[in-house]
Amino acid sequence: MHKKRTRRQQIAIRSFTYGAMTLAAVFGVLISLAWAMGFRFDFNGGKLTQVALIQFDSFPSGATVKINSASIASKTATRANVRSGENTIEIAKIGYRTWQKTVSLKPSEVLWLDYIRLIPNSITTNQVKTFPNISEMLESPNQHWLLIRTSDSDHAANGYTLVLADISDPKNVRFSNVTIDPNEITAPVSDQLEKFSITEWDPGSRYLLIKHQVGDLVEYLRIDRENAATTKNLTKDFGLNISDPHFSGTSGQVFFALTGSDLRKFDSSNQTASAPIVTNVQSYHLSENNKITFVATDIKDGKVTQRVGTYNDGQVKTIKTYDKIEDTQAGLTHYRDKDYLAVARGEVVAIYANPFDDDKKTNAIYLNSPGGIDWLDFSPSGRFVVAGYHNKIVDFDLDTSRNYSFELGNMSSVPQWMDDTHLVDTSNRTISLVEFDGSNSENIVGGVGRVTLSRDEKYLFSFDTANGTASLQRSELYVE
């Protein structure tokens, strides 16, 4: 006959059961937390290890992924847990060159390899239009237009003509002329040399600044691509010797420029020029969010100093002051809701976060450029701070806090960014695409000058010269 348990026994069993359930729940939570933190048990090594995560994406998508020579089941876009330390990644797709990179990851780190651009094994390039010459080409910010300058002068009686290419439909490029009224520009006399050059597009991709030189005279023109008849000679209109102008906003009316060494703000809609915002300016940089960084000199009590400052919403602020005068460059970038000020001086680029907010200032990040610094630049999204000396490049990734150094062909100026993660190398008359860290350099086509990626990212526009003529060409970066 079954003996009834005593009350003490029942309490003991109940306590044991609840205790076991509690321990199981705690153990389950710990296991879940450990899993979320990237801990895995290595059955081969017989020990607990902490993994990292890689997020993959590629253009085009649907590419296979190998990690340390082992294929994973899914294709791009995808993700995979990997061991911490070094891992070799291969991305492959039929008809395209294999992409490869070795990356080093810390335990529980998340790395985004979402910039992978696969290049076709065989690239088809077609001539779009032939010109007697192409002196210069500049793409609009929205990748919809190309402005082409076909000569350095050719100032005819009926005006100077530029060529505008509409590449919004890359398979059906349309051309039109933009003619500058001869009454808007100073005509050369005698044997004066004349030259036109493209300064910049406005952020809205409608207006252009054109530099016109006649002998020692320099004047700047504002052109509306939709109505060239409204061209304005800004130098004549304001009666000031303007230099280094840059559009502010998308109206095409407001711009900043130097008059001598004074920085001013201009509005051509009402013909107004501000009083000097900053004096004794050596250089300035206007960022896309209309904040300005400048380098200027000051003289006080017979002592000359150099300072780096900012201008924002009518407020001038000094960030750094130097007793020694030397070549200094400064620029401002914005990335992930944060401003960064970069100051290049000597062989060092100092990067300061939140320069406008004294309560959020952090220690500077330093990037070394052995030999010196010829130029300072930022990637289109602001993610990369880049500096160069001759053909040597150093850059800092604000997203991962990693820095890189590499060489890029035979450079004489700031390299072009094709997109936010690929630089353009045009050395040896060959156009190549190089990733931000110097890896995966891929030859595309023979050519010179700037390039433009179509908005659908399937075509690359460039130009080349041969046999006394020049041609706008279109290279297919996509396998149909």
Side-chain angles (χ1 to χ4, degrees), residues 155-162 177-185 196 210-212 221 223 228-229 231-232:
H155 183 189
N158 59 348
Y160 178 80
T161 299
L162 299 155
N177 291 335
V178 176
T179 301
I180 300 173
D181 186 340
N183 296 318
E184 285 295 332
I185 54 181
F196 290 84
I210 303 295
K211 182 179 181 180
H212 178 231
L221 314 172
I223 297 176
T231 295
K232 290 187 176 183

Side-chain angles (χ1 to χ4, degrees), residues 103-279:
V103 295
S104 181
L105 295 100
K106 299 175 182 177
S108 75
E109 181 181 359
V110 178
L111 179 65
W112 289 82
L113 296 181
D114 55 353
Y115 53 83
I116 299 166
R117 176 169 292 279
L118 300 177
I119 304 299
N121 289 325
S122 178
I123 298 175
T124 300
T125 298
N126 296 306
Q127 284 191 354
V128 179
K129 188 177 179 64
T130 301
F131 301 89
N133 181 54
I134 294 180
S135 300
E136 190 178 13
M137 181 175 77
L138 186 64
E139 70 283 357
S140 64
N142 65 0
Q143 298 171 291
H144 191 135
W145 308 92
L146 297 176
L147 187 68
I148 302 170
R149 186 168 60 84
T150 57
S151 73
D152 285 330
S153 54
D154 285 354
H155 183 189
N158 59 348
Y160 178 80
T161 299
L162 299 155
V163 177
L164 186 66
D166 180 351
I167 60 170
S168 56
D169 179 359
K171 290 185 177 181
N172 181 30
V173 180
R174 292 166 292 178
F175 295 88
S176 58
N177 291 335
V178 176
T179 301
I180 300 173
D181 186 340
N183 296 318
E184 285 295 332
I185 54 181
T186 301
V189 295
S190 182
D191 57 350
Q192 280 186 321
L193 295 178
E194 182 181 28
K195 183 175 181 179
F196 290 84
S197 56
I198 306 169
T199 299
E200 69 177 23
W201 286 85
D202 82 303
S205 300
R206 175 174 172 175
Y207 298 96
L208 290 135
L209 286 174
I210 303 295
K211 182 179 181 180
H212 178 231
Q213 295 173 265
V214 178
D216 295 329
L217 173 68
V218 176
E219 53 191 8
Y220 286 91
L221 314 172
R222 192 220 66 178
I223 297 176
D224 182 352
R225 64 165 174 78
E226 294 184 1
N227 186 4
T230 61
T231 295
K232 290 187 176 183
N233 187 320
L234 301 176
T235 303
K236 285 185 177 180
D237 288 350
F238 286 96
L240 294 170
N241 291 324
I242 295 170
S243 64
D244 198 16
H246 295 284
F247 282 117
S248 175
T250 59
S251 69
Q253 305 288 350
V254 181
F255 64 96
F256 289 89
L258 295 175
T259 56
S261 61
D262 295 338
L263 176 63
R264 300 174 187 265
K265 183 177 182 179
F266 297 82
D267 189 338
S268 59
S269 66
N270 54 22
Q271 294 296 105
T272 59
S274 73
I277 297 169
V278 187
T279 60

Side-chain angles (χ1 to χ4, degrees), residues 66-99:
K66 283 186 178 181
I67 303 173
N68 301 319
S69 301
S71 299
I72 66 173
S74 54
K75 298 181 179 181
T76 56
T78 186
R79 62 183 181 179
N81 290 314
V82 299
R83 70 192 183 200
S84 56
E86 284 197 349
N87 292 270
T88 298
I89 311 300
E90 288 186 14
I91 308 294
K93 188 176 178 70
I94 294 175
Y96 293 85
R97 306 170 196 174
T98 299
W99 182 95

Side-chain angles (χ1 to χ4, degrees), residues 440-468:
N440 289 304
S441 177
E442 297 285 356
N443 293 340
I444 305 300
V445 66
V448 294
R450 294 184 67 85
V451 306
T452 305
L453 187 67
S454 62
R455 295 184 69 177
D456 61 9
E457 302 187 36
K458 293 183 178 181
Y459 302 91
L460 188 74
F461 289 90
S462 60
F463 71 86
D464 196 12
T465 57
N467 302 320

Side-chain angles (χ1 to χ4, degrees), residues 282-328:
Q282 295 177 304
S283 64
Y284 80 99
H285 173 263
L286 177 63
S287 64
E288 290 187 1
N289 56 6
N290 285 320
K291 296 177 181 178
I292 289 178
T293 310
F294 63 85
V295 179
T297 58
D298 292 316
I299 303 176
K300 186 176 182 180
D301 299 329
K303 182 179 179 181
V304 181
T305 59
Q306 191 174 39
R307 65 179 170 129
V308 173
T310 58
Y311 172 77
N312 181 38
D313 290 335
Q315 299 295 317
V316 176
K317 181 178 181 180
T318 298
I319 304 297
K320 297 288 291 184
T321 301
Y322 305 94
D323 291 333
K324 182 181 178 182
I325 307 298
E326 62 178 81
D327 185 25
T328 301

Side-chain angles (χ1 to χ4, degrees), residues 288 333-335 377-386 396 398 417 419-423 436:
E288 290 187 1
T333 187
H334 187 80
Y335 184 67
D377 193 29
F378 307 97
S379 64
S381 75
R383 173 179 170 179
F384 298 98
V385 180
V386 193
F396 184 81
L398 295 171
W417 290 90
D419 55 23
D420 195 52
T421 53
H422 292 81
L423 291 158
F436 59 87

